[in-house]
Amino acid sequence: VNDKYTTIDWDSSLKPKVPIINYVLEKSEDGTVYSFFGKFDREEFTADDKKVWVDDQSYFYRTYAIDECGDTSGFDNFGKTILLKADTTGDQRPFLNWSTYEGWHAGVDFYSFEILNPDGTFTELGTTQAYDTSWVDNLTNLNQRPEYCYRIIGHRMPAIGKKEVVSVSNVDCSPVY
């Protein structure tokens, strides 16, 4: 996981009548006005966006396909990144607030929250319902570090025989005084 760029994965077009030759990925900062991000071969389904401020805002992405006749499909594979903001409650507990992930047709099944360990690994602290967008960390012993860093993961349960699909937020830290 990298907290400096966004990786975008998309699905192929389902059973097109004419073979696909390219996918076009578009990006938006507001979900309304999109601009060209890149053109990809029909076998490519991932891209890294390094022109982002992952700690400051969510980004929206969508794709469309171009077939071998030069015709374009409608927009598909909509997605919006999760933006996490960490703060501290009045009683000095880490407070996490995040934007919801958007894009999966079936929606998010649940979110998990993880804390960053001193060795750079993450430990899951728990899960919450898909409609929740905040959590207070009342589990962690706060005597060891000047700040505690977290990330949120949106989960979509897989179909039988498929791998789980996830969306990972930025990492944000809560100072403890």
Side-chain angles (χ1 to χ4, degrees):
V1 172
N2 185 304
D3 199 38
K4 300 192 183 330
Y5 62 85
T6 298
T7 297
I8 306 99
D9 296 314
W10 60 89
D11 293 326
S12 64
S13 294
L14 298 176
K15 299 181 182 177
K17 293 178 182 172
V18 178
I20 301 298
I21 58 167
N22 294 108
Y23 288 99
V24 174
L25 178 63
E26 295 185 335
K27 173 183 174 181
S28 173
E29 293 183 1
D30 63 8
T32 304
V33 178
Y34 283 82
S35 60
F36 176 83
F37 178 83
K39 190 174 186 178
F40 300 88
D41 183 71
R42 67 176 165 223
E43 299 300 320
E44 292 181 83
F45 303 105
T46 189
D48 290 333
D49 186 356
K50 296 183 179 178
K51 293 182 179 178
V52 291
W53 299 100
V54 296
D55 293 322
D56 294 330
Q57 72 177 75
S58 289
Y59 295 90
F60 300 79
Y61 298 90
R62 67 185 183 188
T63 64
Y64 64 88
I66 302 173
D67 67 25
E68 61 185 23
C69 295
D71 295 327
T72 61
S73 69
F75 295 112
D76 199 10
N77 295 304
F78 291 90
K80 177 183 152 248
T81 60
I82 301 170
L83 177 63
L84 170 64
K85 293 292 187 182
D87 204 347
T88 308
T89 64
D91 61 348
Q92 301 304 308
R93 300 304 303 184
F95 173 72
L96 310 182
N97 188 28
W98 61 91
S99 64
T100 57
Y101 175 79
E102 296 175 17
W104 297 323
H105 296 293
V108 172
D109 289 313
F110 65 96
Y111 291 101
S112 61
F113 21 91
E114 299 181 338
I115 190 167
L116 180 63
N117 299 311
D119 67 0
T121 63
F122 284 89
T123 299
E124 183 177 296
L125 296 175
T127 62
T128 189
Q129 300 295 320
Y131 53 80
D132 290 333
T133 58
S134 63
W135 181 73
V136 175
D137 182 357
N138 288 312
L139 302 174
T140 303
N141 179 354
L142 302 179
N143 295 339
Q144 304 127 358
R145 300 179 248 168
E147 66 180 9
Y148 292 82
C149 300
Y150 301 85
R151 70 181 180 186
I152 301 296
I153 302 176
H155 298 262
R156 181 179 76 181
M157 297 308 293
I160 296 173
K162 302 283 185 178
K163 68 178 188 169
E164 181 182 30
V165 178
V166 298
S167 179
V168 181
S169 76
N170 58 303
V171 174
D172 203 25
C173 301
S174 172
V176 178
Y177 306 101

